[in-house]
Amino acid sequence: MTVKDILAAIQSPDSTSADFAALPLPESYRAITVHKDETEMFAGLATRDKDPRKSIHLDEVPLPELGPGEALVAVMASSVNYNSVWTSIFEPLSTFGFLERYGRLSELTKRHDLPYHIIGSDLAGVVLRTGPGVNAWKPGDEVVAHCLSVELESSDGHNDTMLDPEQRIWGFETNFGGLAEIALVKSNQLMPKPDHLSWEEAAAPGLVNSTAYRQLVSRNGAGMKQGDNVLIWGASGGLGSYATQFALAGGANPICVVSSEQKAEICRSMGAEAIIDRTAEDYKFWKDEHTQDPKEWKRFGKRIRELTDGEDVDIVFEHPGRETFGASVYVTRKGGTIVTCASTSGYNHEYDNRYLWMSLKRIIGSHFANYREAWEANRLIAKGKIHPTLSKVYALEETGQAAYDVHRNLHQGKVGVLCLAPEEGLGVRDEEKRAQHIDAINRFRNI
Ligand SMILES: C/C=C/C(=O)SCCNC(=O)CCNC(=O)[C@H](O)C(C)(C)COP(=O)(O)OP(=O)(O)OC[C@H]1O[C@@H](n2cnc3c(N)ncnc32)[C@H](O)[C@@H]1OP(=O)(O)O
Ligand SMILES: NC(=O)C1=CN([C@@H]2O[C@H](COP(=O)(O)OP(=O)(O)OC[C@H]3O[C@@H](n4cnc5c(N)ncnc54)[C@H](OP(=O)(O)O)[C@@H]3O)[C@@H](O)[C@H]2O)C=CC1
């Protein structure tokens, strides 16, 4: 039995759940990995010069044992997230430390502590097997998976699963991720695949869409409301392309920051009107490595006011981190919110705290999303209210190049990866719904 037989079953319109349940599982499958004995390979290089194409491998790996509450999923497509870039350049730390720590938790979690890390935190595919105790899903179900892995043995996570002390990001802090032909997930990561999308389109939003939903829309994040001015950094990037859509769909006013006219045009085509091209306008928030320039914060704030009839922003959707954080705190309106989920340009932020406390602003930390938030975000995709922002699709063996593109900011929106799917465009089950949204679905393609 090989993965080819699994693919044949997925592609046959007559396959039933019983057929999938009866399919023997292969002993091994192809997966994108990084290797533990290579964690020092980029020592001494600047972050920018660490090349994911050198550290990312395509290996044949053994199928992991299936545990209680888990599912094995045949992965038709996945996507590249920035967390896989972090893993591949071993920054800010090697993810093997996470696997070792997880491995110490129990007999079952020991499976994750391996000399290779199968990465990837998105998938669209078909359930092959479910472990004991799984009732909500069955073999043959077409699914996407969100990337929150929780144990939920402590009381801490029972109001909001993101607060569980054993909260992890699947495919980053756990093994057996989505950039592979088969993935191992907890069954409470599964959600229905939006039926009007192809496999690669369905796999694209997951991580970033759920994150942007919590960060911007959920009461656990900024709790955006109608009319809010929302400053969105990287507004056509992975997170930002969903934040922009949430702002527009929720009656808010996005002020989109991008770095080229081409990206500005994408934001316009999504419906945004207020756009700042940070390259053309050449903001230099840092005079040198250690000193910020408040005059540049002010110039940026004035530009925002020009675009908003004199108003300041209610919410800043932050993730670039060190480079922009001082400006973000400055331009937020009195009582407004800076909501941050990352620090791409550096995690030691500096800002002038007088502008925070005197103007009663709030900084909120946000990370991924709980199951409910991920479900709500996926539901909006399934209803055609929010659309995938897939630009380019790579073969599994080209994942290193795909991660390189994301690391060097050469991509637009989201970058997809075909795993078992032999070509793009497969897996669409509702052509009528697709036709209604086809322009929006293709907005980011091949630009
Ligand atoms: C969905 C997608 C998301 C993304 O893309 S996010 C971007 C990518 N992610 C990242 O870049 C994050 C990577 N993660 C990290 O950098 C690290 O993961 C953290 C800095 C977040 C945490 O560092 P660590 O060393 O793993 O954990 P500690 O919590 O600092 O624990 C180390 C020891 O310190 C103890 N400790 C923690 N808090 C306290 C305290 N308040 N007072 C005293 N001790 C403390 C702990 O218990 C433990 O101890 P013991 O080593 O003995 O187990
Ligand atoms: N905590 C969480 O749950 C999550 C965290 N993340 C983290 O968020 C970050 C962004 O992820 P994602 O959106 O997928 O990545 P992308 O690279 O797809 O998009 C980020 C965009 O931010 C802009 N940007 C990058 N650097 C800077 C800078 N120095 N100053 C201003 N703008 C900048 C760029 O847009 P432009 O060039 O057009 O300005 C870029 O396209 C990553 O660090 C990632 O690890 C992501 C998802 C979830």
Side-chain angles (χ1 to χ4, degrees), residues 82-83 86 92-93 98 101 147 169 172 207 211 341 367-368:
Y82 215 101
N83 64 350
W86 293 122
L93 26 81
F98 300 141
R101 191 182 289 183
C147 63
I169 299 300
F172 179 66
L207 182 148
T211 305
C341 76
H367 186 40
F368 189 59

Side-chain angles (χ1 to χ4, degrees), residues 6-46:
I6 294 171
L7 179 60
I10 293 171
Q11 291 191 294
S12 161
D14 302 326
S15 297
T16 62
S17 178
D19 293 334
F20 280 99
L23 268 181
L25 295 175
E27 284 179 4
S28 65
Y29 63 99
R30 294 190 313 154
I32 292 298
T33 63
V34 294
H35 295 176
K36 195 171 192 171
D37 61 6
E38 291 184 349
T39 53
E40 293 304 318
M41 70 190 292
F42 298 132
L45 291 180

Side-chain angles (χ1 to χ4, degrees), residues 80-86 147 162 167 169 172 207-212 214-215 232-242 256-260 263-264 267 276-279 285 317-325 340-346 365-369 405-415:
V80 173
N81 284 294
Y82 215 101
N83 64 350
S84 291
V85 173
W86 293 122
C147 63
M162 281 305 296
Q167 175 273 316
I169 299 300
F172 179 66
L207 182 148
V208 284
N209 184 43
S210 310
T211 305
R214 179 180 175 113
Q215 191 176 347
I232 302 173
W233 291 104
S236 71
L239 287 167
S241 58
Y242 295 88
C256 296
V257 187
V258 291
S259 63
S260 70
K263 290 180 172 184
C267 293
I276 297 177
D277 180 341
R278 66 183 174 99
T279 307
F285 300 131
F317 186 84
E318 245 295 336
H319 50 87
R322 182 170 174 82
E323 186 142 338
T324 55
F325 205 81
T340 175
C341 76
S343 293
T344 312
S345 64
S366 189
H367 186 40
F368 189 59
D405 289 359
V406 174
H407 181 32
R408 299 299 284 264
N409 199 16
L410 301 171
H411 68 300
Q412 315 277 356
K414 288 291 302 174
V415 173

Side-chain angles (χ1 to χ4, degrees), residues 43-253:
L45 291 180
T47 298
R48 188 184 157 75
D49 297 328
K50 298 180 181 176
D51 187 341
R53 293 173 299 189
K54 296 190 173 142
S55 54
I56 282 180
H57 303 277
L58 179 61
D59 290 333
E60 189 77 20
V61 296
L63 191 74
E65 182 197 336
L66 178 66
E70 295 179 340
L72 283 167
V73 181
V75 184
M76 294 298 274
S78 182
S79 87
V80 173
N81 284 294
Y82 215 101
N83 64 350
S84 291
V85 173
W86 293 122
T87 301
S88 70
I89 60 173
F90 309 105
E91 283 197 26
L93 26 81
S94 156
T95 47
F96 286 100
F98 300 141
L99 303 186
E100 285 165 19
R101 191 182 289 183
Y102 192 28
R104 287 196 291 270
L105 195 64
S106 73
E107 267 310 303
L108 206 61
T109 64
K110 253 190 211 158
R111 289 169 304 169
H112 292 258
D113 182 11
L114 295 168
Y116 57 87
H117 187 181
I118 303 168
I119 60 175
S121 302
D122 273 318
L123 72 72
V126 178
V127 175
L128 291 174
R129 288 283 192 286
T130 55
V134 178
N135 304 303
W137 304 95
K138 59 183 188 319
D141 285 346
E142 297 192 344
V143 293
V144 291
H146 71 75
C147 63
L148 167 61
S149 165
V150 271
E151 308 304 312
L152 276 181
E153 289 190 284
S154 149
S155 67
D156 293 3
H158 281 261
N159 270 343
D160 173 9
T161 41
M162 281 305 296
L163 300 184
D164 191 82
E166 300 296 342
Q167 175 273 316
R168 289 180 173 81
I169 299 300
W170 162 69
F172 179 66
E173 292 158 303
T174 78
N175 219 321
F176 316 120
L179 285 162
E181 293 172 331
I182 297 178
L184 180 73
V185 298
K186 291 188 187 285
S187 68
N188 59 16
Q189 288 176 239
L190 297 174
M191 307 189 290
K193 172 189 164 286
D195 54 9
H196 65 303
L197 299 179
S198 67
W199 297 110
E200 63 280 4
E201 289 161 356
L207 182 148
V208 284
N209 184 43
S210 310
T211 305
Y213 184 80
R214 179 180 175 113
Q215 191 176 347
L216 191 56
V217 179
S218 167
R219 278 170 288 187
N220 288 318
M224 182 193 80
K225 62 184 189 314
Q226 292 182 36
D228 278 352
N229 290 319
V230 183
L231 180 73
I232 302 173
W233 291 104
S236 71
L239 287 167
S241 58
Y242 295 88
T244 300
Q245 293 188 67
F246 286 131
L248 289 165
N253 173 34

